[in-house]
Amino acid sequence: MPKIKSLQAREILDSRGWPTLEAEVVLDNGLSARASVPGSYSIGDHEAFEFRDGDKKRYRGLGVLKSVAKIKEVIEPSIMGMSILQQSEIDKILIELDGTKNKSKLGANTTLVVSLACARAGALASKQELFAYLGETFSFGKPTIPTPVFNIFNGGRHADTNLDFEEFLIIPKKASASEMIRQGADIFHALGDELKQAGYDTDTGAEGGYAPDLDSSIEAIELILAATIRAGYNPGQDLWLGVDIGSSILFEESSKRYIFPLDNAYFTADNLIGLYDSWFKKYPIIYLEDGLAQDDWDKWRDLTTELGDKVMVVGDDLFATNSNRLRKGIQEKAANSLVIKPSQIGTLTETVECIKLADKHNYRVIISHRSGETNDSFIVDLAVATRADYLKAGSLSRGERVVKYNRLMEIDNIIYKK
């Protein structure tokens, strides 16, 4: 049974050029495996703590050398000699070493990078593909291919643009991974043609989607529909649309209003629910993420009651991959779907626990990337292993996004032996 011999860590850069962590687990049989974790610019209030150095002389205080030291000095001695196949036990030790509710002692980035590296090493030691190892380790059964959710307009905090909403999304009809990704790429490039024809630039944002300054949020939706038709697809039959509002950054606590600067409008929660309903009647939108602020529980219940039978009402900041938050959502009947980001909670085991709780209560699961990504494709194997409904990995450009879609096609080929 292979055991952990040593643990190494180093500071690397994410896709935004800011520091993040990479860890390497070395086993006593000579095998080794690495993992890296993303960072994010858009961080919800209820996410686990992301540890940064705070030294303004290095990377404006965002360095992670203290996390590197914690991995070597605190974590390595505690897990050295353990079987690499004891993932839950390893994660339990990481949780206990931190000892806080939100990972404020070690940092969720610090614990997660070790957790993921150990999982990858476990798969290697077992001579299994990572998705197969995860599915077996956590008892999920036969793996399935999730439907990609492509972010083709970036806004909010994800781009230097005037778009209020963080993401404008397209969701293809269920097919093979290669077919769904081809459809997404067709529409992405057709959207570029539409933008040029309309006199807009085709610069991209942090997640690879286009980031022009538009006249309204509705214009973004209309351009996507035009691109869909240009690419030879039928909106509402071949694919559907989605939006990630990112409402928490648009919510003004003092007035209890949601401010949409681009559209020069403001809304109460009730007004906003009515606005969404009008969109869904007019456009083939089936996915609404973070439609309300992260602590507006009563209105989330109203939103779900009003629209939950028509669309996926998706909580990201609302739940923050936290089982306790999800339990409250279940009790409050808030949302019917949730985004899963391992970096929001800090270990693989806690991530899986949240997914299983969602499955038990029939919430649809979307495994997601972050805005500051790396070339690590772990979340793809996680989505396949846990039989997630959807995978969000960004747009159809930028290497740290495309590597994940390429991995999804690779796994599809492995599963179906193409």
Side-chain angles (χ1 to χ4, degrees):
M1 189 175 293
K3 296 180 179 180
I4 298 172
K5 180 181 179 181
S6 66
L7 186 59
Q8 307 294 330
R10 66 190 184 102
E11 185 181 68
I12 64 171
L13 296 182
D14 68 18
S15 58
R16 287 178 174 269
W18 295 114
T20 190
L21 287 164
E22 180 181 77
E24 180 178 14
V25 176
V26 179
L27 305 180
D28 61 0
N29 62 2
L31 295 175
S32 64
R34 294 180 181 181
S36 57
V37 293
S40 182
Y41 187 66
S42 179
I43 300 177
D45 291 345
H46 302 289
E47 296 189 30
F49 182 72
E50 184 181 58
F51 204 96
R52 299 285 182 171
D53 293 346
D55 181 358
K56 299 298 183 181
K57 296 179 180 178
R58 297 187 71 255
Y59 292 114
R60 302 183 182 183
L62 297 179
V64 291
L65 292 182
K66 290 182 180 179
S67 290
V68 170
K70 289 175 185 289
I71 288 171
K72 196 66 182 174
E73 297 168 7
V74 179
I75 296 177
E76 184 190 51
S78 299
I79 65 172
M80 191 182 301
M82 290 187 66
S83 167
I84 196 60
L85 305 181
Q86 295 178 296
Q87 183 69 41
S88 296
E89 288 80 0
I90 292 169
D91 286 344
K92 182 180 179 181
I93 288 173
L94 293 173
I95 294 166
E96 290 174 347
L97 285 173
D98 181 88
T100 67
K101 290 183 178 180
N102 68 341
K103 305 294 190 302
S104 59
K105 181 178 178 182
L106 296 178
N109 51 339
T110 312
T111 55
L112 182 65
V113 74
V114 175
S115 180
L116 299 188
C118 286
R120 186 166 273 137
L124 189 62
S126 301
K127 298 181 180 179
Q128 292 180 285
E129 291 284 347
L130 179 57
F131 70 86
Y133 175 74
L134 295 176
E136 181 180 295
T137 299
F138 293 106
S139 304
F140 275 98
K142 186 178 179 180
T144 60
I145 299 297
T147 299
V149 177
F150 303 110
N151 175 7
I152 60 172
F153 268 132
N154 289 180
R157 292 179 176 176
H158 296 323
D160 184 15
T161 174
N162 68 341
L163 286 172
D164 295 329
F165 307 153
E166 291 194 341
E167 300 175 338
F168 291 81
L169 308 156
I170 55 173
I171 306 167
K173 181 189 294 184
K174 188 71 174 181
S176 68
S178 60
E179 281 298 302
M180 291 187 289
I181 290 167
R182 182 179 66 82
Q183 184 177 2
D186 285 346
I187 295 167
F188 174 74
H189 293 301
L191 180 57
D193 294 337
E194 288 289 331
L195 290 170
K196 291 175 185 177
Q197 185 173 309
Y200 292 118
D201 65 56
T202 55
D203 294 341
T204 59
E207 296 183 350
Y210 295 113
D213 284 339
L214 299 179
D215 293 330
S216 71
S217 301
I218 291 300
E219 186 182 15
I221 295 173
E222 297 281 4
L223 283 165
I224 294 172
L225 293 176
T228 300
I229 295 168
R230 177 189 282 260
Y233 298 102
N234 190 337
Q237 293 184 18
D238 298 321
L239 91 161
W240 293 265
L241 307 187
V243 284
D244 175 2
I245 304 298
S247 287
S248 291
I249 65 172
L250 301 172
F251 183 62
E252 185 180 75
E253 180 65 37
S254 60
S255 65
K256 303 297 181 183
R257 300 185 306 179
Y258 294 84
I259 313 297
F260 289 2
L262 173 59
D263 297 298
N264 192 28
Y266 62 87
F267 302 89
T268 65
D270 290 331
N271 294 152
L272 198 52
I273 293 171
L275 176 66
Y276 295 150
D277 190 31
S278 69
W279 289 357
F280 303 149
K281 290 175 180 175
K282 185 174 181 181
Y283 300 107
I285 299 172
I286 64 166
Y287 181 108
L288 174 66
E289 182 178 331
D290 279 354
L292 295 172
Q294 58 199 334
D295 289 312
D296 200 355
W297 287 103
D298 289 344
K299 294 304 178 182
W300 267 96
R301 183 172 57 248
D302 293 345
L303 175 66
T304 308
T305 299
E306 291 293 324
L307 304 177
D309 60 340
K310 303 174 186 176
V311 300
M312 294 169 60
V313 180
V314 185
D316 176 11
D317 292 343
L318 180 69
F319 297 126
T321 316
N322 186 306
S323 293
N324 289 330
R325 296 278 300 179
L326 179 55
R327 287 188 188 95
K328 181 171 182 178
I330 293 165
Q331 182 179 359
E332 296 281 346
K333 294 181 171 56
N336 58 26
S337 311
L338 84 161
V339 169
I340 292 288
K341 298 173 180 175
S343 60
Q344 290 180 325
I345 193 65
T347 66
L348 180 57
T349 297
E350 289 169 293
T351 301
V352 168
E353 287 173 353
C354 193
I355 294 170
K356 288 192 171 185
L357 181 62
D359 287 343
K360 181 178 179 181
H361 292 275
N362 299 314
Y363 276 62
R364 277 161 286 191
V365 172
I366 304 98
I367 306 292
S368 178
H369 65 153
R370 303 302 302 255
S371 59
E373 266 296 336
T374 73
N375 287 332
D376 194 316
S377 60
F378 194 104
I379 60 167
V380 182
D381 286 76
L382 179 65
V384 172
T386 59
R387 301 170 56 84
D389 300 282
Y390 298 92
L391 170 70
K392 281 179 69 180
S395 191
L396 283 304
S397 70
R398 297 183 60 112
E400 76 281 357
R401 316 294 159 180
V402 173
V403 69
K404 294 169 177 58
Y405 295 126
N406 287 340
R407 175 58 178 164
L408 186 64
M409 290 189 287
E410 180 184 20
I411 294 174
D412 196 18
N413 289 338
I414 293 169
I415 290 176
Y416 298 106
K417 297 180 171 60
K418 297 177 181 177

